[in-house]
Amino acid sequence: MRAARLIKMVLLLQSRPVMTAAELARELEVSERTVTRDAQALSEAGVPVYADRGRTGGYRLVGGYRTRLTGLARHEAEALFLSGLPSALREMGLDDAASAARLKVSAALLPSLRDASDTAAQRFHLDAPGWYQEPVTPELLPAVAEAVWDDRTVRARYRRPSGEVERELSPYGLVLKAGVWYLCARAGDDFRVYRIDRFTAVAVSEERFVRDEDFDLPRFWTERAAQFARSILRGEVTVRLSEAGWRQLPHAVDRAAADEVLAGAAAPDRDGRRTVVLPVESEEVAYAQLLALGPEVEVLAPASLRERFAGTAERLRDLYR
């Protein structure tokens, strides 16, 4: 919309001493000809925009002009608190709001402080997805984010292993964990966690829900994440670890589980090895994880896993013989 673009142009010129037509065109995502027309429109409306000619010229505001348009709208203020998460803002559809908020804050600062946003941006950047993962934005994330911001109930279809289910949800908060988006929502009397990429349909209602004032999103997520980590460790393996294996174990398996068993382990035997019983997700997962420790770990039980490691050791010996 042109009105929003004109406001943004004024805020840009207020936050910087001078800007070229090319710089303004890039920031506003328009042509330089459109910048010229917009500057003329602002001038006719009483905003003192002045154009300097020549190679070092550009557009500037005359006479210390200050706009009164620097008050933050609610959605801009909320987005500003997430401005250190550029990819998350973009995926939720809030990048424009955050950009406007940053401009308003920059325009309201003293000239000596206007480079603060650039200074911070060059010293801190959060890249949420893990390595070797191509981040994919869930198609329905913007709709869910809109419902979260406005406290609106949603009717959603959710894909489960047993088939799709339909739920009426009160969406309390979004969590971005290792590049995956989750929704923390109330379903009936219970709070639950849903993966956004498993929603197949989301209809945002006009009806608003009343938030439970005792709900704390960071605490809720921490508790549920710990419960989940414990719930998937359904099996056990008994292993003997060398000193090197002892140090490497927390990097190979679930760290919390490793720290717990290592803290309660007995003293080393006469060979310098410690025997521990380690919770694992499954025998298959334990094989893949413990294989990374090589000769620094000896599997004692279960027998089937020990036999599998013995077979792998035989094949490796034959391969390198």
Side-chain angles (χ1 to χ4, degrees), residues 17-80:
V18 63
M19 292 186 71
T20 66
E23 290 171 336
L24 284 167
R26 185 168 57 253
E27 291 282 354
L28 300 172
E29 298 181 348
V30 295
S31 67
E32 292 187 32
R33 180 171 295 182
T34 298
V35 168
T36 301
R37 289 198 298 264
D38 285 352
Q40 181 64 32
L42 287 171
S43 181
E44 292 173 356
V47 178
V49 178
Y50 181 77
D52 290 314
R53 305 289 182 182
R55 293 179 58 187
T56 60
Y59 290 92
R60 61 185 176 87
L61 293 175
V62 179
Y65 176 83
R66 309 291 294 177
T67 177
R68 296 178 180 272
L69 299 173
T70 52
L72 292 180
R74 180 176 179 83
H75 70 288
E76 294 170 342
E78 291 169 337
L80 187 60

Side-chain angles (χ1 to χ4, degrees), residues 164-178:
E164 286 192 0
V165 295
E166 190 167 299
R167 294 283 186 268
E168 179 125 357
L169 304 174
S170 298
Y172 270 65
L174 289 167
V175 174
L176 178 60
K177 170 72 171 179

Side-chain angles (χ1 to χ4, degrees), residues 14 22 44 65 105 123 179 183 223 225 241 245 272 291-292 294 319:
Q14 187 171 310
E44 292 173 356
Y65 176 83
V105 170
R123 287 163 173 77
L183 172 68
E223 292 172 353
L241 297 163
L291 195 61
L319 181 64

Side-chain angles (χ1 to χ4, degrees), residues 173-196:
L174 289 167
V175 174
L176 178 60
K177 170 72 171 179
V180 179
W181 283 97
Y182 296 88
L183 172 68
C184 302
R186 190 168 199 161
D189 295 329
D190 298 326
F191 285 98
R192 300 180 182 178
V193 177
Y194 301 87
R195 277 185 61 141
I196 300 294

